[in-house]
């Protein structure tokens, strides 16, 4: 149980384009989903927390207009990287929890490369 | 000072060895402690989840929490090459920070056959 999927697993795009990453909880309803990014050999950096049906809460330093998060249902959250630039190249990982205060289950991650 | 400190390693041990991984933290309000295993280019996988102080055992893995010392450990017995991965500790206090987790930087472990 508690499986989280992400799509796509890998994406290469040109600078200036937008990329959408999907995060799905497959066998449970996720009240809360989290988006992280991870640079090589570094730990996870929380970008934002999203609750179903409400606006995402962004961490300090994360541009909400650049990283658009939508949590339209209890099983799906999307992260859209708008006008992507090479410095946005990273490993993006989502996680989901059953409810506030529950442990987080991570997706397999999406590797984004912006050329 | 970081909320959570973890030695990044790398740590290299022979197969069959006992591995000890550790994290220290500064926030005494943390009550929930997790260990995740992350293989290269994959998302973290939950290994152990502990509330408050004490020990928890699951197969070859034992998690220990010492809240008085603000120190948590993960022990791996009879280590296997398949245990080679990065191990991340995470913790939260839930009530004050919602569900935000604070992660260590991860310790890279290699088990040599």
């Amino acid at each position: 149980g508690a499986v989280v999927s992400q799509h796509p697993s890998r994406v290469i795009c040109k600078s200036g384009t937008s990329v959408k990453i999907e995060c799905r909880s497959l066998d449970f309803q996720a009240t809360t989903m989290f988006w992280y990014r991870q640079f090589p050999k570094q730990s996870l950096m929380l970008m934002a927390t999203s609750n179903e049906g409400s606006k995402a809460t962004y961490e300090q330093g994360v541009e909400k207009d650049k990283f658009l998060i939508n949590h339209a249902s209890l099983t799906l959250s999307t992260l859209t990287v708008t006008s992507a630039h090479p410095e946005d190249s990273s490993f993006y990982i989502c996680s989901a929890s059953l409810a506030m205060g529950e442990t987080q289950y991570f997706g397999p991650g999406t590797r984004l490369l912006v050329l | 000072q970081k909320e959570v400190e973890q030695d990044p390693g790398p740590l290299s041990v022979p197969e069959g060895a006992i591995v000890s991984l550790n994290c220290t933290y500064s926030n005494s309000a943390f009550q929930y402690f997790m260990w995740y295993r992350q293989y290269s280019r994959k998302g973290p996988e939950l290994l152990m989840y502990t509330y408050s102080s004490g020990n928890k055992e699951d197969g070859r893995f034992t998690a220990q929490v010492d809240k008085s010392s603000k120190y948590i450990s993960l022990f791996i017995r009879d280590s296997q090459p398949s245990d080679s991965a990065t191990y991340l500790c995470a913790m939260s206090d839930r009530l004050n920070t919602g569900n935000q987790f604070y992660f260590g930087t991860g310790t890279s472990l290699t088990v040599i056959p």
Side-chain angles (χ1 to χ4, degrees), chain A:
Chain A
V3 178
V4 177
S5 71
Q6 271 182 253
H7 178 79
S9 59
R10 195 178 206 186
V11 57
I12 301 173
C13 68
K14 291 182 179 180
S15 185
T17 60
S18 293
V19 174
K20 181 187 278 189
I21 302 170
E22 290 186 351
C23 176
R24 293 181 186 272
S25 56
L26 297 184
D27 51 2
F28 67 101
Q29 293 187 326
T31 306
T32 308
M33 287 185 168
F34 305 83
W35 287 96
Y36 297 83
R37 65 188 297 182
Q38 186 178 36
F39 291 105
K41 298 187 185 295
Q42 293 188 26
S43 191
L44 300 163
M45 185 191 83
L46 180 65
M47 298 175 68
T49 302
S50 75
N51 292 296
E52 185 262 340
S54 61
K55 289 184 179 179
T57 302
Y58 290 81
E59 294 301 301
Q60 192 173 9
V62 178
E63 299 174 59
K64 62 181 180 182
D65 294 331
K66 180 167 184 64
F67 298 100
L68 300 177
I69 291 172
N70 184 282
H71 192 162
S73 76
L74 285 171
T75 59
L76 173 65
S77 176
T78 59
L79 167 68
T80 301
V81 183
T82 62
S83 187
H85 291 285
E87 57 266 30
D88 297 325
S89 299
S90 188
F91 193 47
Y92 291 87
I93 309 175
C94 72
S95 72
S97 64
L98 284 158
M100 285 297 276
E102 295 291 332
T103 194
Q104 296 180 28
Y105 299 93
F106 285 85
T110 297
R111 191 160 299 279
L112 171 64
L113 177 62
V114 184
L115 301 175

Side-chain angles (χ1 to χ4, degrees), chain B residues 54-103:
Chain B
N55 294 357
K56 187 173 184 178
E57 189 173 319
D58 183 2
R60 295 185 295 111
F61 299 91
T62 300
Q64 284 187 353
V65 175
D66 182 349
K67 291 189 70 182
S68 62
S69 302
K70 299 191 184 72
Y71 187 89
I72 68 170
S73 301
L74 177 70
F75 296 96
I76 307 174
R77 290 184 299 281
D78 187 25
S79 56
Q80 304 294 309
S82 58
D83 295 329
S84 299
T86 296
Y87 290 80
L88 295 153
C89 64
M91 46 198 81
S92 82
D93 68 0
R94 287 192 185 169
L95 293 179
N96 293 333
T97 62
N99 207 29
Q100 182 175 346
F101 281 19
Y102 295 86
F103 285 89

